[in-house]
Amino acid sequence: MENLANIIALANKAKNRAISPLFNDPSRVEKMSVTCADIFLDYSKQNIIESELTALVDWANHAGLSEKITQMFNGVKINRTENRAVLHTILRASEQDKKTTLGREIASEVIATEQKMAGIVDDVYQGKRLSLSGQKFTDVLAIGIGGSYYGIKVGLSALKPYQNPELDVHVLANVDGGAVQEKLNQLNAETTLVVVISKTFTTQETLLNAQTVKAWMLASQVTEDIIAQQWLAVSTNIDAATQFGIAKDNILPMWDWVGGRFSLWSAVGLPLALAIGNDNFSAIKRGANTMDQHFLNAPLSDNMPVLLALLGIWNRNGLGYSSLAILPYDHSLRSLPGYLQQTDMESNGKSVSIQGEKLEWKTAPVVFGQEGTNGQHAFMQLMHQSEDIIPCDFIVAMQSQTDLAKHHNVLVANCFAQSEALMQGKTLEQATKDLVSQGVTREEAATLAPHKVMKGNTPSNTLLINKLTPKTLGALLALYEHKIFVQGALWQLNSFDQWGVELGKTLSHQVLVAMAGEAPAGLSDSTLSLINHYKKENQ
Ligand code: F6P
């Protein structure tokens, strides 16, 4: 029976294998590509052969992956440490599926919330929901961080062509006063609708940002009515949101069975729905649901999220690569790497099994990246010439969102060239030959050529999106959600809690106490010294 140890042993034989010669099989690309929801995945540049892929799929089968997928979709409480189901998928399913999975009562709450959300968008668009001074809203300010921010940010960056030109939607996440001031400088309190998004309504950054924005707004209109009229909240913590001063009828619920980093599909998506309209927001959910159906029904060997997950485990645990570069060759997807850093590293950046035992294998890779072609002028040098092999996910649209065809040709050409160059590399012999052919003397070439060698053999996936639309964006986000679920399931960890963020939060409160007066016990001399430096500058 396949298990991860067997997979690692199998991969050890592949470690020194060159990828390029694998293309001697003329059918390799055909066999190592799959299409779903207007997304084409070419994984033929991975360092893997069919028998190894079969072993991975066999392992997934023996690990009961299909059952685990079904359990998640059916609402089994797989988030064992918080005793919760994981049901972000139901938010983009049909009403019938909602009723079947959630039961009629909760399903009706979810449906009512969706309708309320859509109603808010319609009323703002039609001027039925006005500011306190009776004006149409010109701006929306979404205050939230992590999962209460990243999904909205990705959507706003990705779907500019779909946005309502009469309503400017802003996001505020960082507690840094610079971020707050930058937003307030752009806004008119009289015509700004504020949406505070916090699943717990206890997040330090979000609450301080909300307090500051509230004070700013009250300074312009000295009546609390402006908060009642122009503030909305999205949270599971209705009491805390009400205590903050937000009218109960302006609070949209979310449920504990939707993880923060998986919550765009809930009322957390309200700022994005306000930006692009209800139809486009529904299209995002339809795209995600298309990927859900593929994930539920496609055989594991032809299942896009499962393949991405297994290839990631092959690279991480088998070939020993510790990072993953997310390289969207698309300015509109520039926020995707940051979004996936949370979705991937906050889900699977763990070292204890779901049973609480120390894991014997590595888990989530370090995820990084930025839009191409910018990355080619930042970290690609390392990717080509350091000893480290860093697998890449290239993502590029076949049709541009603009009419600048020449630019799109160059963008796409660079995307394809980078995956080819990372795989092919350049040997010392090739580097020398190139130099001599350029007229460099053999002596000079002998000196320079070693500096021009590129290791190659870097594996990559290339995802071709037909065109970046609400539907394909939804499918893309769902693809990665499911990939990350599969990896967590096979690594036997809980992808849906995030206890690792607690210590930092606790210590930040202790540091604040020390900044205000007596330092609590337990802080290191280094931190105490840093605090004293800060206090000297801010007395
Ligand atoms: O990053 C830690 C975290 O708890 C995330 O999981 C969550 O998305 C974010 O903080 C914000 O939490 P909340 O939505 O409760 O403000």
Side-chain angles (χ1 to χ4, degrees), residues 265-296:
W265 326 100
S266 72
V268 166
L270 175 60
L272 181 57
L274 282 163
I276 62 175
N278 287 319
D279 291 348
N280 287 319
F281 188 73
S282 299
I284 295 177
K285 294 200 279 189
R286 275 200 307 280
N289 184 258
T290 303
M291 186 58 71
D292 293 346
Q293 298 311 314
H294 167 78
F295 182 47
L296 272 167

CSV table of all heavy atoms in Angstrom, one decimal, residues 265-296:
chain,number,residue,atom,x,y,z
A,265,TRP,N,-17.0,34.1,0.0
A,265,TRP,CA,-18.3,33.6,-0.5
A,265,TRP,C,-19.4,34.0,0.4
A,265,TRP,O,-20.6,33.9,0.0
A,265,TRP,CB,-18.3,32.1,-0.7
A,265,TRP,CG,-16.9,31.6,-1.1
A,265,TRP,CD1,-16.0,31.0,-0.3
A,265,TRP,CD2,-16.3,31.7,-2.4
A,265,TRP,NE1,-14.8,30.8,-1.0
A,265,TRP,CE2,-15.0,31.2,-2.3
A,265,TRP,CE3,-16.7,32.2,-3.6
A,265,TRP,CZ2,-14.1,31.2,-3.3
A,265,TRP,CZ3,-15.8,32.2,-4.7
A,265,TRP,CH2,-14.5,31.7,-4.5
A,266,SER,N,-19.1,34.4,1.6
A,266,SER,CA,-20.1,34.8,2.6
A,266,SER,C,-20.4,36.3,2.5
A,266,SER,O,-19.9,37.0,1.6
A,266,SER,CB,-19.6,34.5,4.0
A,266,SER,OG,-18.6,35.4,4.4
A,267,ALA,N,-21.0,36.9,3.5
A,267,ALA,CA,-21.2,38.4,3.5
A,267,ALA,C,-19.9,39.1,3.6
A,267,ALA,O,-19.9,40.3,3.4
A,267,ALA,CB,-22.1,38.7,4.7
A,268,VAL,N,-18.8,38.4,3.9
A,268,VAL,CA,-17.5,39.1,3.9
A,268,VAL,C,-17.3,39.6,2.5
A,268,VAL,O,-16.6,40.7,2.3
A,268,VAL,CB,-16.4,38.0,4.2
A,268,VAL,CG1,-15.0,38.5,3.8
A,268,VAL,CG2,-16.5,37.7,5.7
A,269,GLY,N,-17.9,39.0,1.5
A,269,GLY,CA,-17.7,39.5,0.1
A,269,GLY,C,-18.5,40.8,-0.2
A,269,GLY,O,-18.5,41.3,-1.3
A,270,LEU,N,-19.3,41.3,0.8
A,270,LEU,CA,-20.1,42.5,0.5
A,270,LEU,C,-19.4,43.6,-0.2
A,270,LEU,O,-19.9,44.2,-1.2
A,270,LEU,CB,-20.8,42.9,1.8
A,270,LEU,CG,-21.7,44.2,1.7
A,270,LEU,CD1,-22.8,44.0,0.7
A,270,LEU,CD2,-22.2,44.6,3.1
A,271,PRO,N,-18.2,44.0,0.3
A,271,PRO,CA,-17.5,45.2,-0.4
A,271,PRO,C,-17.2,44.8,-1.8
A,271,PRO,O,-17.3,45.7,-2.7
A,271,PRO,CB,-16.3,45.3,0.4
A,271,PRO,CG,-16.6,44.8,1.8
A,271,PRO,CD,-17.5,43.6,1.5
A,272,LEU,N,-16.9,43.6,-2.1
A,272,LEU,CA,-16.7,43.2,-3.5
A,272,LEU,C,-18.0,43.2,-4.3
A,272,LEU,O,-18.0,43.7,-5.5
A,272,LEU,CB,-16.0,41.8,-3.6
A,272,LEU,CG,-15.7,41.3,-5.0
A,272,LEU,CD1,-14.7,42.3,-5.7
A,272,LEU,CD2,-15.0,39.9,-4.9
A,273,ALA,N,-19.0,42.8,-3.7
A,273,ALA,CA,-20.3,42.8,-4.4
A,273,ALA,C,-20.8,44.2,-4.6
A,273,ALA,O,-21.3,44.6,-5.7
A,273,ALA,CB,-21.4,42.1,-3.6
A,274,LEU,N,-20.5,45.1,-3.7
A,274,LEU,CA,-20.8,46.5,-3.9
A,274,LEU,C,-19.9,47.1,-5.1
A,274,LEU,O,-20.4,48.0,-5.8
A,274,LEU,CB,-20.5,47.3,-2.6
A,274,LEU,CG,-21.6,47.2,-1.5
A,274,LEU,CD1,-21.0,47.7,-0.2
A,274,LEU,CD2,-22.8,48.0,-1.9
A,275,ALA,N,-18.7,46.6,-5.2
A,275,ALA,CA,-17.9,47.1,-6.3
A,275,ALA,C,-18.3,46.6,-7.7
A,275,ALA,O,-18.3,47.3,-8.7
A,275,ALA,CB,-16.4,46.7,-6.0
A,276,ILE,N,-18.7,45.3,-7.8
A,276,ILE,CA,-18.9,44.7,-9.1
A,276,ILE,C,-20.3,44.4,-9.4
A,276,ILE,O,-20.7,44.0,-10.5
A,276,ILE,CB,-18.0,43.4,-9.3
A,276,ILE,CG1,-18.4,42.4,-8.3
A,276,ILE,CG2,-16.5,43.8,-9.2
A,276,ILE,CD1,-17.7,41.0,-8.5
A,277,GLY,N,-21.2,44.5,-8.4
A,277,GLY,CA,-22.6,44.3,-8.6
A,277,GLY,C,-23.0,42.8,-8.3
A,277,GLY,O,-22.1,41.9,-8.3
A,278,ASN,N,-24.3,42.6,-8.0
A,278,ASN,CA,-24.7,41.3,-7.6
A,278,ASN,C,-24.5,40.2,-8.7
A,278,ASN,O,-24.1,39.1,-8.3
A,278,ASN,CB,-26.2,41.3,-7.2
A,278,ASN,CG,-26.4,42.1,-5.9
A,278,ASN,OD1,-25.7,41.9,-5.0
A,278,ASN,ND2,-27.5,42.9,-5.9
A,279,ASP,N,-24.8,40.5,-9.9
A,279,ASP,CA,-24.7,39.5,-11.0
A,279,ASP,C,-23.2,39.0,-11.1
A,279,ASP,O,-23.0,37.8,-11.2
A,279,ASP,CB,-25.1,40.1,-12.3
A,279,ASP,CG,-26.6,40.3,-12.3
A,279,ASP,OD1,-27.3,39.8,-11.4
A,279,ASP,OD2,-27.1,41.0,-13.2
A,280,ASN,N,-22.3,39.9,-11.0
A,280,ASN,CA,-20.9,39.5,-11.1
A,280,ASN,C,-20.4,38.8,-9.9
A,280,ASN,O,-19.6,37.8,-10.0
A,280,ASN,CB,-20.0,40.7,-11.4
A,280,ASN,CG,-20.1,41.3,-12.8
A,280,ASN,OD1,-20.2,40.5,-13.7
A,280,ASN,ND2,-20.2,42.6,-12.9
A,281,PHE,N,-20.9,39.2,-8.7
A,281,PHE,CA,-20.6,38.5,-7.5
A,281,PHE,C,-21.1,37.0,-7.5
A,281,PHE,O,-20.5,36.1,-7.2
A,281,PHE,CB,-21.1,39.2,-6.2
A,281,PHE,CG,-20.5,38.6,-5.0
A,281,PHE,CD1,-19.2,38.8,-4.6
A,281,PHE,CD2,-21.4,37.8,-4.1
A,281,PHE,CE1,-18.7,38.2,-3.4
A,281,PHE,CE2,-20.9,37.3,-3.0
A,281,PHE,CZ,-19.6,37.5,-2.6
A,282,SER,N,-22.3,36.9,-8.1
A,282,SER,CA,-22.9,35.6,-8.2
A,282,SER,C,-22.1,34.7,-9.2
A,282,SER,O,-21.9,33.5,-9.0
A,282,SER,CB,-24.4,35.7,-8.7
A,282,SER,OG,-25.2,36.4,-7.8
A,283,ALA,N,-21.6,35.4,-10.2
A,283,ALA,CA,-20.8,34.7,-11.2
A,283,ALA,C,-19.5,34.1,-10.6
A,283,ALA,O,-19.0,33.0,-10.9
A,283,ALA,CB,-20.4,35.6,-12.4
A,284,ILE,N,-18.9,34.9,-9.6
A,284,ILE,CA,-17.7,34.4,-8.9
A,284,ILE,C,-18.1,33.1,-8.2
A,284,ILE,O,-17.4,32.1,-8.3
A,284,ILE,CB,-17.2,35.4,-7.9
A,284,ILE,CG1,-16.7,36.7,-8.5
A,284,ILE,CG2,-16.1,34.8,-7.0
A,284,ILE,CD1,-16.3,37.8,-7.6
A,285,LYS,N,-19.3,33.1,-7.5
A,285,LYS,CA,-19.7,31.9,-6.8
A,285,LYS,C,-20.0,30.7,-7.8
A,285,LYS,O,-19.7,29.6,-7.5
A,285,LYS,CB,-20.9,32.2,-5.9
A,285,LYS,CG,-20.5,33.2,-4.8
A,285,LYS,CD,-21.5,33.1,-3.6
A,285,LYS,CE,-22.8,33.9,-3.9
A,285,LYS,NZ,-23.6,34.0,-2.7
A,286,ARG,N,-20.5,31.1,-8.9
A,286,ARG,CA,-20.8,30.0,-9.9
A,286,ARG,C,-19.5,29.4,-10.4
A,286,ARG,O,-19.4,28.2,-10.6
A,286,ARG,CB,-21.6,30.6,-11.1
A,286,ARG,CG,-23.1,30.7,-10.9
A,286,ARG,CD,-23.9,30.8,-12.2
A,286,ARG,NE,-23.4,31.8,-13.1
A,286,ARG,CZ,-23.7,33.1,-12.9
A,286,ARG,NH1,-24.5,33.4,-11.9
A,286,ARG,NH2,-23.2,34.1,-13.7
A,287,GLY,N,-18.5,30.2,-10.6
A,287,GLY,CA,-17.2,29.7,-11.1
A,287,GLY,C,-16.6,28.7,-10.0
A,287,GLY,O,-16.1,27.7,-10.3
A,288,ALA,N,-16.7,29.2,-8.8
A,288,ALA,CA,-16.2,28.3,-7.7
A,288,ALA,C,-17.0,27.0,-7.6
A,288,ALA,O,-16.4,25.9,-7.4
A,288,ALA,CB,-16.3,29.1,-6.4
A,289,ASN,N,-18.3,27.1,-7.8
A,289,ASN,CA,-19.1,25.9,-7.7
A,289,ASN,C,-18.8,24.9,-8.9
A,289,ASN,O,-18.8,23.7,-8.7
A,289,ASN,CB,-20.6,26.3,-7.8
A,289,ASN,CG,-21.5,25.1,-7.6
A,289,ASN,OD1,-22.1,24.6,-8.6
A,289,ASN,ND2,-21.6,24.6,-6.4
A,290,THR,N,-18.5,25.5,-10.0
A,290,THR,CA,-18.1,24.6,-11.2
A,290,THR,C,-16.8,23.8,-10.8
A,290,THR,O,-16.7,22.6,-11.0
A,290,THR,CB,-17.8,25.5,-12.4
A,290,THR,OG1,-18.9,26.2,-12.7
A,290,THR,CG2,-17.4,24.6,-13.6
A,291,MET,N,-15.9,24.5,-10.1
A,291,MET,CA,-14.7,23.8,-9.6
A,291,MET,C,-15.0,22.8,-8.5
A,291,MET,O,-14.5,21.7,-8.5
A,291,MET,CB,-13.6,24.8,-9.2
A,291,MET,CG,-12.3,24.2,-8.8
A,291,MET,SD,-11.4,23.4,-10.1
A,291,MET,CE,-11.0,24.7,-11.2
A,292,ASP,N,-16.0,23.2,-7.7
A,292,ASP,CA,-16.4,22.2,-6.6
A,292,ASP,C,-17.0,20.9,-7.2
A,292,ASP,O,-16.6,19.8,-6.8
A,292,ASP,CB,-17.6,22.9,-5.8
A,292,ASP,CG,-17.1,24.1,-5.0
A,292,ASP,OD1,-15.9,24.3,-4.8
A,292,ASP,OD2,-18.0,24.8,-4.5
A,293,GLN,N,-17.8,21.1,-8.3
A,293,GLN,CA,-18.4,19.9,-8.9
A,293,GLN,C,-17.3,19.0,-9.5
A,293,GLN,O,-17.3,17.8,-9.4
A,293,GLN,CB,-19.4,20.3,-9.9
A,293,GLN,CG,-20.6,21.0,-9.4
A,293,GLN,CD,-21.2,20.4,-8.1
A,293,GLN,OE1,-21.5,19.2,-8.1
A,293,GLN,NE2,-21.5,21.2,-7.1
A,294,HIS,N,-16.3,19.7,-10.2
A,294,HIS,CA,-15.2,18.9,-10.7
A,294,HIS,C,-14.4,18.2,-9.6
A,294,HIS,O,-14.1,17.0,-9.7
A,294,HIS,CB,-14.3,19.9,-11.5
A,294,HIS,CG,-12.9,19.4,-11.9
A,294,HIS,ND1,-12.8,18.5,-13.0
A,294,HIS,CD2,-11.7,19.5,-11.3
A,294,HIS,CE1,-11.5,18.2,-13.1
A,294,HIS,NE2,-10.8,18.8,-12.1
A,295,PHE,N,-14.2,18.9,-8.5
A,295,PHE,CA,-13.4,18.4,-7.4
A,295,PHE,C,-14.1,17.2,-6.8
A,295,PHE,O,-13.6,16.1,-6.5
A,295,PHE,CB,-13.2,19.4,-6.4
A,295,PHE,CG,-12.4,19.1,-5.2
A,295,PHE,CD1,-11.2,18.4,-5.3
A,295,PHE,CD2,-12.9,19.4,-3.9
A,295,PHE,CE1,-10.5,18.1,-4.2
A,295,PHE,CE2,-12.1,19.1,-2.7
A,295,PHE,CZ,-10.9,18.4,-2.9
A,296,LEU,N,-15.5,17.3,-6.7
A,296,LEU,CA,-16.3,16.2,-6.2
A,296,LEU,C,-16.4,15.0,-7.1
A,296,LEU,O,-16.5,13.8,-6.6
A,296,LEU,CB,-17.7,16.7,-5.9
A,296,LEU,CG,-18.0,17.4,-4.5
A,296,LEU,CD1,-19.3,18.1,-4.5
A,296,LEU,CD2,-17.9,16.3,-3.4
